[in-house]
Amino acid sequence: MKTIFLGILLSVTLFSAEIDLSTRQANYIAQKVWQNEGAGKDKYLVWWNKGEDFASVGIGHFIWFPKGHTERFREVFPMVVAFMQQKGVKMPKWLNAETDFPWQTKAEFFAAKKNKTKQYRELFSFLKRTMPQQAEFMAERLRQALPQMTGTINDPKKAAMIKRRFNHMLYKKNGKIDERGLYILLDYTNFKGEGTLKSERYKGKGWGLLQVLEHFDEKNSDKYKAFADSAKAMLDRRIKNSPPARGEERWRKGWNVRLDTY
């Protein structure tokens, strides 16, 4: 599984303009996303959420599976590590793109966290000092999102529509990058994915960036609100279609609070 996702990361074809973040932009986006994911608190930098079978690490709460674990959701942290390796970022000796989450169960993880074991401390320090690089990874992932989405669409008119709406969010009318639009696209892609994985669907219906753009109201003069409204509708649909045992209704309020920052 890791190899497939790393291949997605390493074989990039850019269909849209370069999204080059300045140091200021990287730090700004890092803080915005981190506020959304972990309330900006250090204790959430390496975490394991209630009701989930995997850990969430870094400013983007990137999913990271223990050994042998399978899930419907995309495992993103190995992609982050591969990106760091490409950039020559120094990391713990035991960590690489093929490394599984070091603790097999939630209980093992929280015991290591409580006792501040050496491995936990090394992981935490690595994530704390690489926040800007994590933001750069999210920009890299966003660069790949458009070709990934259009590559799953057979209808040329629909593919053109998705590209138009993506660029409508990303750019101002003068052709320059819209920083707020960039934040929205980047945050949502990190938050709920590109929407291209068939496994990331309930009853055949997805909730990622692709689905948000499909239901985006281009007639709304406030593009930021139009995106947030579409995202809320897609997440409402996700909750409705989700298996009752997952109890996803408990996330609705927090998800909407996040979307209200758009």
Side-chain angles (χ1 to χ4, degrees):
M1 184 174 290
K2 284 187 175 68
T3 303
I4 295 173
F5 294 155
L6 295 179
I8 293 173
L9 174 67
L10 297 173
S11 57
V12 182
T13 303
L14 302 184
F15 279 41
S16 58
E18 289 290 327
I19 304 173
D20 294 319
L21 297 182
S22 67
T23 301
R24 179 192 63 79
Q25 289 172 323
N27 281 307
Y28 170 75
I29 290 175
Q31 291 302 319
K32 287 277 286 183
V33 173
W34 179 221
Q35 191 65 38
N36 287 338
E37 290 288 0
K41 296 181 179 180
D42 281 355
K43 71 175 183 177
Y44 294 123
L45 201 56
V46 188
W47 197 249
W48 192 315
N49 287 321
K50 182 179 179 181
E52 295 181 339
D53 298 325
F54 49 82
S56 300
V57 304
I59 63 169
H61 265 194
F62 309 113
I63 292 174
W64 194 9
F65 296 152
K67 185 177 181 179
H69 188 277
T70 57
E71 250 285 4
R72 69 169 65 239
F73 307 117
R74 174 165 285 165
E75 186 181 24
V76 178
F77 188 63
M79 298 165 62
V80 178
V81 176
F83 177 80
M84 298 282 194
Q85 288 176 315
Q86 285 183 304
K87 294 288 186 179
V89 175
K90 185 178 180 181
M91 58 188 66
K93 293 181 180 179
W94 53 267
L95 179 63
N96 61 56
E98 298 297 327
T99 304
D100 295 303
F101 187 64
W103 302 279
Q104 196 66 27
T105 67
K106 185 186 292 188
E108 287 179 15
F109 161 65
F110 277 110
K113 186 180 180 76
K114 181 179 180 180
N115 295 322
K116 293 183 171 60
T117 64
K118 180 181 178 183
Q119 195 168 31
Y120 173 80
R121 285 186 282 107
E122 288 180 345
L123 177 60
F124 175 85
S125 296
F126 167 68
L127 294 168
K128 182 73 173 176
R129 67 177 166 81
T130 60
M131 287 185 175
Q133 290 92 337
Q134 292 170 53
E136 290 171 7
F137 162 79
M138 288 187 281
E140 181 72 19
R141 185 179 181 186
L142 181 60
R143 272 196 286 265
Q144 301 173 52
L146 183 57
Q148 277 193 50
M149 291 186 296
T150 55
T152 66
I153 301 170
N154 294 322
D155 181 354
K157 289 185 178 180
K158 182 177 179 180
M161 177 192 74
I162 294 300
K163 183 176 181 179
R164 182 179 69 249
R165 292 178 178 179
F166 180 94
N167 288 333
H168 177 57
M169 290 300 301
L170 183 58
Y171 298 108
K172 297 178 180 178
K173 291 182 178 180
N174 63 9
K176 293 183 178 180
I177 291 287
D178 181 331
E179 288 194 5
R180 183 175 174 185
L182 170 61
Y183 157 66
I184 290 170
L185 290 172
L186 188 150
D187 184 73
Y188 195 83
T189 303
N190 175 71
F191 177 39
K192 291 301 174 195
E194 296 85 355
T196 57
L197 284 184
K198 290 184 178 180
S199 62
E200 290 187 333
R201 295 177 187 179
Y202 293 145
K203 298 182 180 179
K205 303 294 185 180
W207 51 79
L209 181 61
L210 174 60
Q211 289 75 36
V212 173
L213 293 176
E214 284 176 339
H215 292 84
F216 180 88
D217 181 9
E218 290 186 79
K219 295 180 181 179
N220 191 330
S221 59
D222 185 343
K223 66 179 183 180
Y224 312 120
K225 186 177 186 304
F227 188 98
D229 288 346
S230 180
K232 286 180 181 179
M234 293 303 95
L235 293 180
D236 284 346
R237 185 177 72 179
R238 166 179 164 159
I239 292 169
K240 181 180 178 180
N241 290 337
S242 65
R246 288 189 62 86
E248 295 201 3
E249 175 63 38
R250 71 185 187 276
W251 291 327
R252 186 192 303 273
K253 182 178 179 180
W255 286 352
N256 286 342
V257 167
R258 182 181 192 141
L259 297 175
D260 285 340
T261 71
Y262 293 179

